[in-house]
Amino acid sequence: MAMQKSSEKRERILQAGIQTFAVNGYSTTTIKEVAKTAGVSYGTVFTYFENKEDLFKASVLEPLEEVKSVMFSIPHPSEHPAEQIKETIERQFRFFAQQTTYARMLQYVIGQPERFPDLFKELDQFSLHLREALRPLILKGQEKGELIQLEPNDISDSYLSFINGVRLTFIDSAEEMERWDTFIRQAYLLFGPSNP
């Protein structure tokens, strides 16, 4: 029971860190502010995180694991790769629609590679791995004539840029899925379907 409470408290602090860093950035965020947002004492934060830098790093990297599990959950190509791509895009967009605050954190780091080189490298590796995960589906779609011949890496890069851009540009609530349905259709067009 004590272990569970400890884990819940750490998660509250982590979520408060994500929220606070996303709004204020690294420099102006204070541990005092994170503690207040999490509803814990100032000293309690240091029970779970060594310092502000450690909390910031955890705020970027720990949620990334969930993002990876969704984004890399790409099926092995079947005889209908275009349909699989549509389903993958829809799943990924519906997930990203929920990531308003965390997406701001990612953008903050991506926009400052010289300031956060290690975290930037981790996010860059994520992009490269997504390319590799999408590649078999794209190639199969091209082989089957369901997708036009475009460079798979260019398609993946365009797609990732689009999904990130949509999440950062449109901060409306994820409940407005009608708008997101339009973005999902647009994202599919980036793959060059021969029959849109």
Side-chain angles (χ1 to χ4, degrees):
M1 185 71 140
M3 188 86 99
Q4 182 181 356
K5 281 187 176 182
S6 176
S7 176
E8 288 171 3
K9 195 174 284 187
R10 183 186 185 281
E11 183 60 23
R12 276 201 338 260
I13 294 167
L14 181 67
Q15 291 306 316
I18 293 167
Q19 179 183 340
T20 310
F21 287 126
V23 172
N24 301 333
Y26 181 80
S27 297
T28 56
T29 293
T30 65
I31 292 296
K32 182 179 178 183
E33 188 177 5
V34 172
K36 183 179 178 184
T37 302
V40 299
S41 71
Y42 177 83
T44 300
V45 175
F46 298 105
T47 303
Y48 301 97
F49 301 96
E50 190 175 320
N51 51 36
K52 184 167 91 166
E53 184 179 349
D54 186 40
L55 174 59
F56 182 72
K57 186 175 179 181
S59 297
V60 173
L61 296 181
E62 289 186 27
L64 186 60
E65 291 309 308
E66 182 184 5
V67 172
K68 286 178 182 178
S69 73
V70 172
M71 296 300 281
F72 296 155
S73 178
I74 297 170
H76 184 74
S78 72
E79 290 305 304
H80 306 286
E83 196 56 42
Q84 289 178 295
I85 288 170
K86 281 182 187 176
E87 291 167 5
T88 298
I89 290 169
E90 183 168 354
R91 185 177 61 256
Q92 291 175 344
F93 259 80
R94 294 201 184 283
F95 172 74
F96 253 75
Q98 308 296 324
Q99 304 305 311
T100 312
T101 304
Y102 183 62
R104 271 191 252 134
M105 278 284 294
L106 294 178
Q107 186 62 29
Y108 181 72
V109 173
I110 291 168
Q112 302 180 74
E114 67 293 332
R115 185 172 183 195
F116 306 110
D118 294 340
L119 293 174
F120 179 83
K121 184 178 178 185
E122 188 77 30
L123 296 176
D124 191 47
Q125 287 298 310
F126 166 77
S127 298
L128 295 175
H129 289 132
L130 183 63
R131 268 186 186 180
E132 291 308 309
L134 287 168
R135 189 175 188 82
L137 266 184
I138 294 168
L139 290 174
K140 184 71 169 186
Q142 292 173 342
E143 176 190 310
K144 301 280 293 174
E146 294 181 356
L147 304 177
I148 61 175
Q149 297 296 319
L150 298 170
E151 169 54 47
N153 287 349
D154 293 343
I155 294 170
S156 298
D157 291 346
S158 297
Y159 172 62
L160 185 58
S161 297
F162 182 67
I163 196 171
N164 280 327
V166 166
R167 177 62 280 167
L168 292 167
T169 305
F170 298 94
I171 56 171
D172 56 340
S173 72
E175 286 76 39
E176 288 188 47
M177 285 313 296
E178 189 176 306
R179 183 176 222 178
W180 284 84
D181 288 340
T182 300
F183 297 139
I184 290 167
R185 287 191 296 276
Q186 293 296 321
Y188 179 58
L189 295 177
L190 294 172
F191 287 78
S194 54
N195 226 346

